[in-house]
Amino acid sequence: MKRSQVIYRIFVIAIFAFLAFWNCEAQVQTSSSLRGGTTKQSISKNRTRISFNKDWKFFLGDEPNAKNVIFTDANWRKLTLPHDWSIEGKFDEKNPAKPEGGGLPTGIGWYRKEFLAPANFKTRLITVEFDGVYKNSEVWINGKYLGKRPYGYSSFPYEISGFLKAGKNVIAVKVDNSAQPDSRWYSGSGIYRNVWLTSTAKIAVENWGTFVNATVAENIALIAIKARIINRMLKSQSVIIQNSIYSPDGKLVQKNDPYKVQIDTFGLTVNSDIQISNPKLWSVENPNQYKLVTQILQNGKVIDTYEIKFGIRSFSFDAEKGFSLNGKPMKILGVCMHHDLGALGAVVNVRAMERQLEILKAMGCNAIRTAHNPPAPEFLDLCDKMGFLVMDEAFDMWVKKKNKNDYHLNFPEWHHQDLEDMIKRDRNHPSIILWSIGNEIREQFDSTGVAITKELVSIVKKLDTSRPVISALTETDAKKNFIYQANALDIYGLNYNHKLYKDFPKNYPGVKFLATETTSALQTRGFYDTADTIRRWPKDGKTKFTQGNKEWSASAYDNVSAYWGSTHEETWKAAKQYDHVSGLFVWTGFDYLGEPLPYAWPARSSYFGIVDLAGFPKDSYYMYQSEWTTKPVLHILPHWNWDNGKSVEVWAYYNNADEVELYLNGKSLGKKSKQGDDLHVLWNVNFEPGTLKAVSRKEGKEVLVREVKTAGAPAKIEVIADRKNIKADGKDLSFITVRILDAAGNIVPNADNLVQFKIEGEGFIAGVDNGFQASLEPFKANYRKAFHGLCLAILQSTEKAGTIKLTATSNGLSSSTITINTSK
């Protein structure tokens, strides 16, 4: 045998031996904390996805050498992700982000983490997945550069198998949010969303690789499944694909016949269909979700399992009839939401997001617009689970800037990747009914908007044709709006301009319509002013908004709006009147950090929310609740502490009743009924101390009674937990409402007492707040002044089961204590 033949045979034998080693049964060895001691987790050639949040080190500042393996980080701060360093800082007008960005520090930060490579990493695909880093992240593994992602709202993975080594490995992440001003609102800074480590076989379903499109006709659901399979082996491979679908209660309902495919080294997209009889539909009332399990088998063994949840539902937008879900007409009753979580900043926390959605659900809200960027994946999971429709938005600007250092700098190079990643990541969520490619994009006034619109819509449609594409527009003249002139959008989205709703079908015949952003009413919880001079912020944008300026507050009577907006009542009256208006998204559901219009410093958060930053509803909340829900509502405002003889407007929001009768100290002040399109009734009452009582009646029978009493001096503290039992997982939260009461137990409406918090046990204070838009007190503290009688403490569990005891004290007041139980 020739020498060359011997060498060739040896080479072939070595290759087959190597491939056999790859295909052997394996155990993965990971650190229990991904640093330190080890535990063994059997994966049987299957997929694992574990949290990569623990045991990071952080340095605020620039350390270029931190990317190197040999680098001393012993003095760096230890922390668990997600993390937002901006929210930990002090408010300062001189911070580069300015009040429009929340008035908190930004800058450059570095993160490092040591971790043990899985014992079988050479036979696996190991991927690190970042759900979001704000912004300009750069990542290194063992000193090797993985890449950069400028957009702070994108999720992105890096395959790191080829960079790992046995034993200790080092990942380093640089985050650069120093170029300011950047965002038009508070963005946060750092690795503010979750990080994951995924291990799969060399043949596996690609990250975000499965897409399920469910259509329904005559009680039969057709489930079209598309899966992208990757192959990192050295040659083409033969595998078996099996899809199984499980019902909302976890039972196997259908699976396809296994089918064999040949996957070359470029990968393969496979398609299959499954039918389900009498499906349980996903809706806002009954958000049923199915589970798809895709398995890849080779040589009779499962080598990869990929699971996703999805919903079966149908929906449509009609130019005349508006929106329908599962064949039933309904209004989209939505709000716009920025991503910050108040005192927690940009840090993703599932319970904090869930609380926001619970508050909005109780108001009757059924839809969320993710203003103006892709949200955290967990937020969409919650919308799926809780029954919210979602308008998923990609960008706030394209090439034309809104701020000097915003995304317009990255759009030319990165928009395709960022938009594609958003669609792939999110397209299986049943909650999502709309893809939005932009908000108030300035290219709508420029001919370049035509080409860019067509390109962005094309990117979306290549990945998902099951949902319409929209953009939130402000230019109302179709002949001047170049985004509309592109003739690529499926629905016309209009921000504000509610007076145009009536004639929209005449001006835009055959065009589907949605009010993508409305209202921009300005309100401060608990502050009341009825002066006509403050009903609008001056349109010139220069005249100072002076009424109530010494208090940095805006009236909670729903009589103030930004010059481009309207009151809550004005907009809703217009939206509900016309069937062709598919729905609306109110600006905004909650107050958010940054954009403190109409005030300058010290205002540092918005006045637009229906709910304040701490999660306390403003009075307009009850207007929506009376209109958007069928449960009985009766709400009266304002408080009842005024100067003797002052004429006070008393408003009542109500439903499920014919009239409301108002009493002052037992004397009737008359009955009132809503007339025409009225959304509230009112009385002008000369103040005298005592009890203001409202009674709603239907056909003469009492429905609800509400009372507001004149409060005395502050005397005691009351603490109320939204949940007294939470998980000992290091992430769960209990939101503690602190109320300042008089001796009789009435809330004191103007109390601003400083409350001190003492905590004991297995938890810590994650943040404090009071909802006041111009408070410069830190969110990370053990104290907070009450604002109009309320403040908030957010308690977070540790990973040890036990109790958390919180004591609230204030000089001259009786203290209050509450105990929260934590369990595994």
Side-chain angles (χ1 to χ4, degrees):
M1 186 180 294
K2 294 182 180 179
R3 182 180 179 185
S4 60
Q5 291 176 315
V6 173
I7 293 174
Y8 175 78
R9 288 192 176 186
I10 292 173
F11 176 76
V12 170
I13 292 170
I15 289 293
F16 277 100
F18 188 55
L19 292 175
F21 173 70
W22 267 358
N23 285 320
C24 71
E25 289 291 337
Q27 296 283 325
V28 63
Q29 178 176 292
T30 64
S31 165
S32 57
S33 62
L34 292 177
R35 187 183 180 189
T38 61
T39 60
K40 288 188 176 181
Q41 178 186 6
S42 177
I43 61 171
S44 301
K45 295 183 182 176
N46 233 316
R47 176 183 298 256
T48 62
R49 188 171 188 257
I50 58 176
S51 172
F52 205 52
N53 286 340
K54 287 187 176 180
D55 298 314
W56 287 79
K57 290 188 173 182
F58 171 71
F59 175 77
L60 182 56
D62 195 7
E63 282 283 0
N65 292 326
K67 63 179 177 287
N68 300 324
V69 175
I70 300 175
F71 178 82
T72 302
D73 58 13
N75 294 325
W76 284 24
R77 174 184 169 190
K78 297 179 181 179
L79 54 76
T80 296
L81 302 177
H83 173 239
D84 171 11
W85 79 70
S86 291
I87 203 67
E88 299 170 347
K90 294 181 179 180
F91 292 104
D92 192 327
E93 186 179 13
K94 296 180 181 179
N95 279 325
K98 299 183 178 180
E100 291 75 13
L104 288 165
T106 51
I108 297 175
W110 280 83
Y111 298 84
R112 281 171 55 90
K113 175 184 172 70
E114 293 182 0
F115 66 102
L116 298 178
N120 61 345
F121 70 92
K122 292 183 179 180
T123 69
R124 307 283 290 174
L125 291 181
I126 312 297
T127 304
V128 60
E129 302 169 22
F130 293 88
D131 284 346
V133 184
Y134 206 89
K135 67 174 192 171
N136 291 316
S137 67
E138 295 181 87
V139 184
W140 292 262
I141 287 281
N142 296 326
K144 304 296 184 181
Y145 189 64
L146 295 181
K148 179 176 183 175
R149 288 302 289 260
Y151 197 29
Y153 299 107
S154 285
S155 298
F156 53 92
Y158 290 116
E159 187 180 309
I160 61 174
S161 311
F163 301 97
L164 296 178
K165 60 184 180 180
K168 186 180 74 173
N169 292 261
V170 176
I171 183 171
V173 182
K174 179 185 178 182
V175 184
D176 187 351
N177 193 22
S178 60
Q180 297 292 331
D182 164 36
S183 180
R184 297 188 299 116
W185 55 86
Y186 176 81
S187 65
S189 302
I191 308 178
Y192 70 104
R193 293 180 181 169
N194 290 304
V195 184
W196 307 91
L197 196 69
T198 298
S199 173
T200 71
K202 296 285 186 176
I203 304 172
V205 177
E206 189 176 47
N207 182 57
W208 310 325
T210 298
F211 177 39
V212 176
N213 185 18
T215 55
V216 189
E218 298 182 353
N219 292 322
I220 299 292
L222 177 63
I223 314 300
I225 303 167
K226 179 181 292 186
R228 179 68 184 172
I229 312 299
I230 56 175
N231 175 17
R232 295 292 190 267
M233 305 290 274
L234 297 180
K235 65 177 184 179
S236 177
Q237 298 286 310
S238 177
V239 297
I240 302 294
I241 307 296
Q242 171 78 70
N243 288 307
S244 303
I245 294 178
Y246 294 83
S247 67
D249 57 3
K251 296 179 181 178
L252 177 66
V253 293
Q254 195 58 272
K255 63 180 179 180
N256 67 344
D257 294 329
Y259 58 95
K260 190 174 184 178
V261 295
Q262 195 74 20
I263 305 177
D264 63 26
T265 55
F266 294 101
L268 180 70
T269 298
V270 295
N271 298 278
S272 61
D273 295 333
I274 297 178
Q275 286 190 355
I276 297 177
S277 300
N278 300 311
K280 295 181 178 179
L281 301 183
W282 184 96
S283 68
V284 295
E285 299 86 6
N286 298 293
N288 295 303
Q289 292 187 78
Y290 286 77
K291 181 172 72 173
L292 168 68
V293 178
T294 300
Q295 292 182 316
I296 302 176
L297 298 88
Q298 191 174 50
N299 300 324
K301 296 179 180 179
V302 177
I303 61 171
D304 188 43
T305 301
Y306 192 75
E307 299 182 2
I308 61 165
K309 289 185 176 181
F310 68 97
I312 300 172
R313 82 283 187 270
S314 63
F315 66 89
S316 67
F317 289 86
D318 185 87
E320 296 179 358
K321 299 178 182 179
F323 179 76
S324 64
L325 179 64
N326 298 325
K328 298 179 181 179
M330 62 178 289
K331 282 282 190 196
I332 295 173
L333 308 175
V335 298
C336 303
M337 290 287 284
H338 274 311
H339 73 297
D340 79 72
L341 295 170
L344 302 178
V347 168
V348 163
N349 182 282
V350 172
R351 174 54 198 161
M353 294 186 292
E354 181 182 51
R355 173 182 178 250
Q356 287 188 334
L357 291 174
E358 286 173 349
I359 292 169
L360 292 171
K361 192 80 170 180
M363 185 183 77
C365 174
N366 65 21
I368 305 292
R369 176 191 179 205
T370 67
H372 301 291
N373 47 261
E378 294 86 353
F379 184 81
L380 296 174
D381 291 339
L382 286 168
C383 290
D384 292 341
K385 176 183 175 182
M386 298 174 70
F388 283 89
L389 305 169
V390 174
M391 174 177 165
D392 200 356
E393 195 152 76
F395 307 119
D396 188 43
M397 72 291 297
W398 297 345
V399 176
K400 291 185 176 294
K401 67 181 179 182
K402 294 182 179 177
N403 270 327
K404 179 181 179 181
N405 295 294
D406 63 24
Y407 184 70
H408 83 280
L409 298 172
N410 308 116
F411 184 90
E413 179 182 356
W414 286 98
H415 69 274
H416 191 286
Q417 181 79 64
D418 289 329
L419 181 57
E420 185 176 83
D421 285 351
M422 183 187 91
I423 305 301
K424 285 183 176 179
R425 189 197 72 171
D426 295 349
R427 59 187 173 175
N428 290 308
H429 289 281
S431 57
I432 296 175
I433 58 168
L434 289 159
W435 300 118
S436 172
I437 57 173
N439 169 64
E440 300 179 356
I441 298 299
R442 293 187 173 179
E443 279 82 352
Q444 65 187 304
F445 311 114
D446 187 296
S447 60
T448 59
V450 173
I452 298 176
T453 301
K454 289 181 177 179
E455 181 199 5
L456 295 178
V457 172
S458 174
I459 293 170
V460 175
K461 296 295 187 179
K462 285 180 181 178
L463 297 170
D464 179 22
T465 59
S466 69
R467 297 174 177 90
V469 180
I470 195 170
S471 183
L473 306 173
T474 52
E475 174 55 65
T476 58
D477 187 340
K479 296 179 181 179
K480 297 179 180 179
N481 193 319
F482 289 93
I483 291 179
Y484 176 74
Q485 288 297 325
N487 198 29
L489 299 175
D490 299 302
I491 299 173
Y492 190 103
L494 177 65
N495 289 3
Y496 307 102
N497 294 292
H498 70 278
K499 294 181 180 179
L500 303 180
Y501 296 176
K502 178 182 178 180
D503 293 329
F504 187 87
K506 181 175 65 176
N507 296 328
Y508 296 85
V511 176
K512 302 168 185 177
F513 175 69
L514 176 64
T516 42
E517 185 172 320
T518 72
T519 308
S520 278
L522 304 166
Q523 296 180 340
T524 298
R525 175 186 53 80
F527 177 81
Y528 301 95
D529 194 326
T530 58
D532 289 338
T533 54
I534 65 168
R535 298 187 75 84
R536 290 289 185 277
W537 178 35
K539 191 170 183 177
D540 61 16
K542 299 176 181 178
T543 307
K544 290 185 178 180
F545 186 83
T546 57
Q547 296 294 325
N549 228 4
K550 65 178 182 180
E551 300 196 39
W552 305 99
S553 296
S555 176
Y557 269 117
D558 190 29
N559 58 10
V560 190
S561 70
Y563 67 80
W564 61 85
S566 58
T567 67
H568 290 285
E569 294 192 13
E570 288 170 339
T571 301
W572 173 237
K573 285 178 185 179
K576 78 172 186 174
Q577 187 174 356
Y578 306 110
D579 290 342
H580 64 266
V581 180
S582 297
L584 79 171
F585 289 94
V586 181
W587 191 264
T588 53
F590 275 62
D591 281 344
Y592 54 93
L593 286 164
E595 203 172 18
L597 298 171
Y599 292 119
W601 191 260
R604 45 66 173 164
S605 62
S606 82
Y607 291 73
F608 298 121
I610 301 168
V611 182
D612 75 17
L613 201 66
F616 303 136
K618 303 175 188 179
D619 293 285
S620 58
Y621 179 95
Y622 302 97
M623 183 279 288
Y624 287 109
Q625 192 176 61
S626 69
E627 289 285 304
W628 290 3
T629 73
T630 57
K631 62 185 178 184
V633 173
L634 176 60
H635 175 75
I636 55 174
L637 63 142
H639 59 75
W640 204 238
N641 278 62
W642 301 97
D643 294 333
N644 284 328
K646 177 180 174 63
S647 179
V648 180
E649 278 190 15
V650 177
W651 291 22
Y653 294 118
Y654 71 94
N655 65 4
N656 295 324
D658 303 317
E659 63 185 21
V660 177
E661 187 168 7
L662 187 68
Y663 299 84
L664 177 57
N665 294 327
K667 180 181 179 181
S668 175
L669 302 181
K671 300 175 183 178
K672 299 277 187 175
S673 298
K674 288 183 280 192
Q675 303 297 316
D677 62 355
D678 288 345
L679 300 181
H680 72 268
V681 292
L682 71 85
W683 297 259
N684 287 293
V685 182
N686 292 325
F687 174 76
E688 64 179 58
T691 300
L692 198 64
K693 182 173 78 171
V695 180
S696 62
R697 299 186 182 93
K698 186 175 182 65
E699 297 178 349
K701 295 182 180 180
E702 183 179 292
V703 178
L704 290 173
V705 177
R706 294 289 182 263
E707 291 186 344
V708 180
K709 297 184 178 182
T710 304
K716 57 186 177 182
I717 298 173
E718 179 184 43
V719 291
I720 304 170
D722 70 331
R723 297 184 307 150
K724 297 190 72 173
N725 297 285
I726 64 176
K727 296 177 182 178
D729 60 3
K731 297 175 287 188
D732 207 0
L733 304 173
S734 181
F735 289 81
I736 311 297
T737 297
V738 181
R739 293 165 30 113
I740 307 299
L741 308 179
D742 67 6
N746 301 306
I747 190 167
V748 182
N750 294 315
D752 61 357
N753 304 69
L754 178 65
V755 180
Q756 301 281 348
F757 299 109
K758 179 183 178 183
I759 192 165
E760 302 172 76
E762 301 305 326
F764 59 94
I765 298 174
V768 292
D769 198 0
N770 60 17
F772 181 35
Q773 295 102 332
S775 171
L776 299 183
E777 295 173 285
F779 289 127
K780 304 296 183 181
N782 62 353
Y783 61 90
R784 194 69 172 192
K785 290 184 70 174
F787 180 65
H788 292 302
L790 299 177
C791 65
L792 178 77
I794 307 171
L795 305 187
Q796 186 166 341
S797 67
T798 66
E799 293 186 350
K800 184 177 179 181
T803 60
I804 309 171
K805 181 180 178 182
L806 179 74
T807 302
T809 61
S810 184
N811 289 338
L813 305 183
S814 298
S815 63
S816 186
T817 298
I818 194 168
T819 299
I820 307 300
N821 300 307
T822 71
S823 59
K824 291 292 187 180

